[in-house]
PDB file of all heavy atoms in Angstrom:
ATOM      1  N   ASP H  73      44.198  19.725 -32.765  1.00  0.00           N
ATOM      2  CA  ASP H  73      44.447  19.679 -31.249  1.00  0.00           C
ATOM      3  C   ASP H  73      45.438  18.691 -30.798  1.00  0.00           C
ATOM      4  O   ASP H  73      46.284  18.994 -29.994  1.00  0.00           O
ATOM      5  CB  ASP H  73      43.071  19.456 -30.533  1.00  0.00           C
ATOM      6  CG  ASP H  73      42.354  18.156 -30.958  1.00  0.00           C
ATOM      7  OD1 ASP H  73      42.436  17.941 -32.154  1.00  0.00           O
ATOM      8  OD2 ASP H  73      41.742  17.531 -30.151  1.00  0.00           O
ATOM      9  N   GLN H  74      45.453  17.513 -31.530  1.00  0.00           N
ATOM     10  CA  GLN H  74      46.468  16.514 -31.151  1.00  0.00           C
ATOM     11  C   GLN H  74      47.872  16.986 -31.603  1.00  0.00           C
ATOM     12  O   GLN H  74      48.833  16.819 -30.928  1.00  0.00           O
ATOM     13  CB  GLN H  74      46.094  15.127 -31.812  1.00  0.00           C
ATOM     14  CG  GLN H  74      44.879  14.504 -31.222  1.00  0.00           C
ATOM     15  CD  GLN H  74      44.570  13.163 -31.964  1.00  0.00           C
ATOM     16  OE1 GLN H  74      45.168  12.856 -32.944  1.00  0.00           O
ATOM     17  NE2 GLN H  74      43.694  12.484 -31.287  1.00  0.00           N
ATOM     18  N   GLY H  75      47.927  17.476 -32.817  1.00  0.00           N
ATOM     19  CA  GLY H  75      49.170  17.958 -33.379  1.00  0.00           C
ATOM     20  C   GLY H  75      49.725  19.089 -32.462  1.00  0.00           C
ATOM     21  O   GLY H  75      50.939  19.256 -32.318  1.00  0.00           O
ATOM     22  N   GLN H  76      48.815  19.960 -32.009  1.00  0.00           N
ATOM     23  CA  GLN H  76      49.139  21.087 -31.109  1.00  0.00           C
ATOM     24  C   GLN H  76      49.816  20.644 -29.849  1.00  0.00           C
ATOM     25  O   GLN H  76      50.898  21.082 -29.457  1.00  0.00           O
ATOM     26  CB  GLN H  76      47.982  21.956 -30.917  1.00  0.00           C
ATOM     27  CG  GLN H  76      48.266  23.155 -30.079  1.00  0.00           C
ATOM     28  CD  GLN H  76      46.948  23.992 -29.876  1.00  0.00           C
ATOM     29  OE1 GLN H  76      45.832  23.393 -29.875  1.00  0.00           O
ATOM     30  NE2 GLN H  76      47.099  25.296 -29.785  1.00  0.00           N
ATOM     31  N   ALA H  77      49.176  19.566 -29.220  1.00  0.00           N
ATOM     32  CA  ALA H  77      49.774  18.990 -28.012  1.00  0.00           C
ATOM     33  C   ALA H  77      51.102  18.378 -28.282  1.00  0.00           C
ATOM     34  O   ALA H  77      52.081  18.614 -27.488  1.00  0.00           O
ATOM     35  CB  ALA H  77      48.755  17.977 -27.446  1.00  0.00           C
ATOM     36  N   ILE H  78      51.200  17.644 -29.393  1.00  0.00           N
ATOM     37  CA  ILE H  78      52.569  17.020 -29.757  1.00  0.00           C
ATOM     38  C   ILE H  78      53.588  18.146 -30.042  1.00  0.00           C
ATOM     39  O   ILE H  78      54.773  17.982 -29.619  1.00  0.00           O
ATOM     40  CB  ILE H  78      52.442  16.070 -30.852  1.00  0.00           C
ATOM     41  CG1 ILE H  78      51.582  14.855 -30.422  1.00  0.00           C
ATOM     42  CG2 ILE H  78      53.750  15.581 -31.324  1.00  0.00           C
ATOM     43  CD1 ILE H  78      51.083  14.004 -31.532  1.00  0.00           C
ATOM     44  N   GLY H  79      53.198  19.169 -30.684  1.00  0.00           N
ATOM     45  CA  GLY H  79      54.068  20.252 -31.140  1.00  0.00           C
ATOM     46  C   GLY H  79      54.769  20.863 -29.875  1.00  0.00           C
ATOM     47  O   GLY H  79      55.882  21.414 -30.011  1.00  0.00           O
ATOM     48  N   ARG H  80      54.038  20.938 -28.801  1.00  0.00           N
ATOM     49  CA  ARG H  80      54.665  21.554 -27.533  1.00  0.00           C
ATOM     50  C   ARG H  80      55.826  20.788 -27.016  1.00  0.00           C
ATOM     51  O   ARG H  80      56.649  21.310 -26.270  1.00  0.00           O
ATOM     52  CB  ARG H  80      53.577  21.571 -26.440  1.00  0.00           C
ATOM     53  CG  ARG H  80      52.430  22.633 -26.785  1.00  0.00           C
ATOM     54  CD  ARG H  80      51.543  22.754 -25.512  1.00  0.00           C
ATOM     55  NE  ARG H  80      50.488  23.584 -25.970  1.00  0.00           N
ATOM     56  CZ  ARG H  80      49.161  23.244 -26.007  1.00  0.00           C
ATOM     57  NH1 ARG H  80      48.782  22.023 -25.609  1.00  0.00           N
ATOM     58  NH2 ARG H  80      48.280  24.072 -26.438  1.00  0.00           N
ATOM     59  N   LEU H  81      55.959  19.534 -27.431  1.00  0.00           N
ATOM     60  CA  LEU H  81      57.105  18.701 -27.016  1.00  0.00           C
ATOM     61  C   LEU H  81      58.393  19.096 -27.762  1.00  0.00           C
ATOM     62  O   LEU H  81      59.469  18.773 -27.314  1.00  0.00           O
ATOM     63  CB  LEU H  81      56.839  17.178 -27.253  1.00  0.00           C
ATOM     64  CG  LEU H  81      55.662  16.623 -26.491  1.00  0.00           C
ATOM     65  CD1 LEU H  81      55.353  15.149 -26.980  1.00  0.00           C
ATOM     66  CD2 LEU H  81      55.797  16.698 -25.015  1.00  0.00           C
ATOM     67  N   TYR H  82      58.326  19.774 -28.850  1.00  0.00           N
ATOM     68  CA  TYR H  82      59.459  20.233 -29.591  1.00  0.00           C
ATOM     69  C   TYR H  82      59.900  21.550 -29.126  1.00  0.00           C
ATOM     70  O   TYR H  82      59.605  22.536 -29.657  1.00  0.00           O
ATOM     71  CB  TYR H  82      59.121  20.247 -31.130  1.00  0.00           C
ATOM     72  CG  TYR H  82      58.972  18.906 -31.704  1.00  0.00           C
ATOM     73  CD1 TYR H  82      57.674  18.225 -31.609  1.00  0.00           C
ATOM     74  CD2 TYR H  82      59.974  18.266 -32.369  1.00  0.00           C
ATOM     75  CE1 TYR H  82      57.511  17.005 -32.177  1.00  0.00           C
ATOM     76  CE2 TYR H  82      59.775  16.968 -32.927  1.00  0.00           C
ATOM     77  CZ  TYR H  82      58.524  16.373 -32.803  1.00  0.00           C
ATOM     78  OH  TYR H  82      58.337  15.107 -33.335  1.00  0.00           O
ATOM     79  N   LYS H  83      60.709  21.537 -28.042  1.00  0.00           N
ATOM     80  CA  LYS H  83      61.199  22.767 -27.413  1.00  0.00           C
ATOM     81  C   LYS H  83      62.074  23.549 -28.360  1.00  0.00           C
ATOM     82  O   LYS H  83      62.859  23.105 -29.130  1.00  0.00           O
ATOM     83  CB  LYS H  83      61.961  22.425 -26.226  1.00  0.00           C
ATOM     84  CG  LYS H  83      61.145  21.647 -25.131  1.00  0.00           C
ATOM     85  CD  LYS H  83      60.070  22.490 -24.554  1.00  0.00           C
ATOM     86  CE  LYS H  83      59.407  21.652 -23.417  1.00  0.00           C
ATOM     87  NZ  LYS H  83      58.076  22.141 -23.206  1.00  0.00           N
ATOM     88  N   GLY H  84      61.834  24.881 -28.460  1.00  0.00           N
ATOM     89  CA  GLY H  84      62.655  25.729 -29.256  1.00  0.00           C
ATOM     90  C   GLY H  84      62.087  25.778 -30.723  1.00  0.00           C
ATOM     91  O   GLY H  84      62.779  26.428 -31.590  1.00  0.00           O
TER      92      GLY H  84
END
Side-chain angles (χ1 to χ4, degrees):
D73 55 324
Q74 291 181 349
Q76 184 178 29
I78 293 169
R80 290 186 185 119
L81 300 175
Y82 290 83
K83 303 292 183 202

